[in-house]
Amino acid sequence: MNKAELVADVAERMGESKLKAEEAVNAVFDALTGALKKGDEVRLPAFGVFDVKETAARTARNPQTGEEVKVPAGRKARFKPGKALKDAMA
């Protein structure tokens, strides 16, 4: 499912226009992004948890040339599904 399909599905479930549904979807994405940028975790009961993980600097290897490359420390977003989502997927 891509964003357009998600917006269409949300519009159908809400009984609203696609424009209103897109505003709602964008608002949710913006809220998630803002919280993660601040380093907060977002807990959605029965769905899962979005959080930020710090990554350490490391040395990697370019598979095409074999040359070593320095990868700087950084942050990455991750998602851990909740029990209800896991059960729904089974």
Side-chain angles (χ1 to χ4, degrees), residues 32 35-36 38-44 49-52 80:
L32 282 169
L36 293 173
K38 291 190 294 186
D40 295 341
E41 80 177 18
V42 180
R43 290 186 171 274
L44 304 172
V49 179
F50 293 91
D51 66 359
V52 177
K80 294 182 275 187

Side-chain angles (χ1 to χ4, degrees), residues 1-2 4 6-7 10-11 20 22 26 39 41 48-49 51 58 65 71 77 80 82 84 87-88:
M1 175 182 278
N2 61 30
L6 177 63
V7 167
V10 169
K20 289 252 188 213
E22 185 171 13
N26 286 338
E41 80 177 18
V49 179
D51 66 359
R58 62 187 171 87
T65 64
V71 179
K80 294 182 275 187
D87 292 345

